[in-house]
Amino acid sequence: MPLTKWTRLGWFSTIAFSLALAAGACGGGDDDDDTTADAAPGADATPGADAATPDAGTPDARTSYTNLDDLARDYSAVLCDKLAECVPVFDIFASPLECSSLFYGRELAAAIDRWQKEIDAGELTFDGDKAAECLAALRAADCSRIDVEDLDPRQLSPACGEMLTGNRGDGDACTDSVYCAPQLYCDTSSACPGTCAAPIAVGETCVSGQRCAAGAVCFVPESGGDGTCTMPVGDGEACDVETGPPCAPSSECDTGSAGGTAGTCAPQVNIPLTADDGEACGPASGALCKPGLTCALATPSSGTCRPDGIQQGQQCPPALPDACAPGLYCDGAGIDETTGAPVSGTCKPIPDEGKACAEPPALLPDGPHEDGLCTADTYCDRTASPPTCVAPTKANGAACLAHGVCASGYCGDIGYDSDPPTPGTCQDPVDLCD
């Protein structure tokens, strides 16, 4: 029976934040959907994770890092904490896996391996003190500076742009900002490879994709054209979508219903997790449920908060987040498009290696598990029949439709011009423009 689909809310741009340290490759042919899905599950898949020697202390206490593996793990934890604070609804989209499983995966691991080789060769420099400063800046960042449409930690603190740097100067070719000297970035707004350049000063002309001086944004009029590097204003202040100033990243210019261009900055819609057991929840009510509860839906936009943790084999409602206990998912739940009635499912184990992938959640078909749901240390191999959860072990030359299945962490030359896409092949990663 047809089930109502939950609309995509830009979750992939949030995942891109976690990979701001990790570039992909120039002309690799991946589109947004595949790249983000492939960034998912797999802390256990990171090479050398077990062998890495952690620095002393917790992420909050560390003042330096000695290796990239420890940094990546802590970065994932800090990022998830910040998303829980500033974008609490994000955990709904990560469900039924943990937030961190979306960020610390095979694609990032492959980038870490590559960077370590370049550090050893003297092409890149890693500054562990700056890395700790960067994480501290992310931890302390005001939510008004967290832009879920274009998240870049290098805009939060100079240290984030200085923890991994190269030695290429202004005007030198680059594919990623890590190869440029400190205080420069890789401008790929017009070509790939791009060139190392200094951020554009406030008041100067810019185009979308170029980086402005710290704190400034490239304000492009709603009608289009070139933009100007401009300092944004906060909630309650005057704004104009054509002439500026723009609003802070977490806000939007509310121009009212008159159809004009001028307005006042107001917070973007962000549904809080404030509803208690038995209370109304969902977009229609303006709230989702507190932790430990789930919004059991009666319609696509409304429901009632109920306890989560439903056990294996028991019935589960269509809910946000998934109503089943950890390690399980609700198979078959949704909203019938014909009758509008909720359709219950059954709590089943999330498939692990060798098992057929679970279907993407009916309420989030375009979410982080759109290629098929597997445990956090495995990936859905869509070239198999049926699609099967596999470890990231496919050798170079093997057919693939996702980065995560490859031992190299990179699946190139996927044919997106056909529907469904034609498989690419696992291969060694090359540097993508960021």
Side-chain angles (χ1 to χ4, degrees):
M1 73 183 65
L3 301 177
T4 296
K5 295 182 177 181
W6 198 263
T7 57
R8 184 194 301 252
L9 293 181
W11 69 270
F12 52 83
S13 59
T14 306
I15 291 180
F17 184 29
S18 75
L19 297 177
L21 299 177
C26 216
D30 294 351
D31 67 3
D32 284 341
D33 291 350
D34 192 70
T35 301
T36 51
D38 299 333
D44 294 338
T46 305
D50 294 334
T53 302
D55 295 327
T58 66
D60 290 344
R62 285 177 174 161
T63 58
S64 188
Y65 285 87
T66 59
N67 64 76
L68 295 175
D69 278 329
D70 287 342
L71 171 62
R73 279 194 295 272
D74 286 357
Y75 183 79
S76 171
V78 172
L79 175 60
C80 285
D81 287 345
K82 182 55 63 173
L83 288 173
E85 173 191 350
C86 299
V87 194
V89 74
F90 181 78
D91 276 343
I92 303 297
F93 296 92
S95 170
L97 298 179
E98 296 295 326
C99 168
S100 60
S101 70
L102 298 178
F103 300 116
Y104 189 52
R106 182 62 196 167
E107 191 176 1
L108 179 57
I112 289 173
D113 284 349
R114 186 168 72 255
W115 292 336
Q116 188 60 58
K117 292 175 183 176
E118 291 167 338
I119 291 170
D120 294 342
E123 297 176 25
L124 293 176
T125 299
F126 175 59
D127 189 324
D129 294 348
K130 295 293 185 183
E133 286 182 41
C134 177
L135 261 64
L138 174 58
R139 211 163 26 242
D142 188 272
C143 288
S144 66
R145 298 191 65 189
I146 302 300
D147 181 3
V148 296
E149 294 299 326
D150 186 19
L151 292 166
D152 185 348
R154 293 168 290 200
Q155 289 288 70
L156 299 177
S157 166
C160 295
E162 297 170 358
M163 60 182 176
L164 190 64
T165 59
N167 53 19
R168 300 179 191 177
D170 196 349
D172 288 347
C174 58
T175 54
D176 188 294
S177 295
V178 297
Y179 298 109
C180 300
Q183 312 306 324
L184 301 179
Y185 80 105
C186 189
D187 181 2
T188 57
S189 59
S190 59
C192 173
T195 56
C196 294
I200 300 169
V202 173
E204 296 296 318
T205 299
C206 59
V207 297
S208 181
Q210 289 183 318
R211 188 183 303 172
C212 297
V217 298
C218 185
F219 170 66
V220 179
E222 197 171 76
S223 59
D226 288 346
T228 305
C229 284
T230 310
M231 296 299 293
V233 295
D235 290 343
E237 297 189 66
C239 56
D240 194 298
V241 297
E242 284 296 329
T243 63
C247 298
S250 64
S251 302
E252 58 189 355
C253 191
D254 182 1
T255 59
S257 57
T261 64
T264 304
C265 292
Q268 293 181 3
V269 175
N270 186 15
I271 304 175
L273 311 183
T274 55
D276 279 313
D277 189 8
E279 293 183 345
C281 56
S285 69
L288 286 170
C289 307
K290 292 181 177 179
L293 301 172
T294 185
C295 186
L297 297 173
T299 74
S301 61
S302 64
T304 304
C305 291
R306 299 293 184 217
D308 62 11
I310 298 174
Q311 297 301 306
Q312 182 175 341
Q314 296 181 341
Q315 277 198 333
C316 46
L320 296 172
D322 192 284
C324 299
L328 307 176
Y329 76 104
C330 189
D331 179 39
I335 303 292
D336 189 288
E337 289 181 339
T338 303
T339 65
V343 178
S344 294
T346 304
C347 288
K348 296 181 179 180
I350 298 173
D352 56 14
E353 187 174 359
K355 305 250 181 28
C357 311
E359 289 291 322
L363 298 174
L364 294 169
D366 297 322
H369 313 301
E370 64 182 350
D371 287 334
L373 177 63
C374 297
T375 52
D377 56 349
T378 60
Y379 299 79
C380 186
D381 179 8
R382 291 183 288 136
T383 66
S385 183
T388 302
C389 297
V390 300
T393 56
K394 281 197 165 189
N396 284 359
C400 54
L401 279 165
H403 298 308
V405 302
C406 301
S408 68
Y410 183 69
C411 178
D413 303 322
I414 299 173
Y416 292 107
D417 292 337
S418 61
D419 186 17
T422 57
T425 57
C426 292
Q427 54 192 263
D428 288 334
V430 291
D431 292 323
L432 285 176
C433 290
D434 64 352

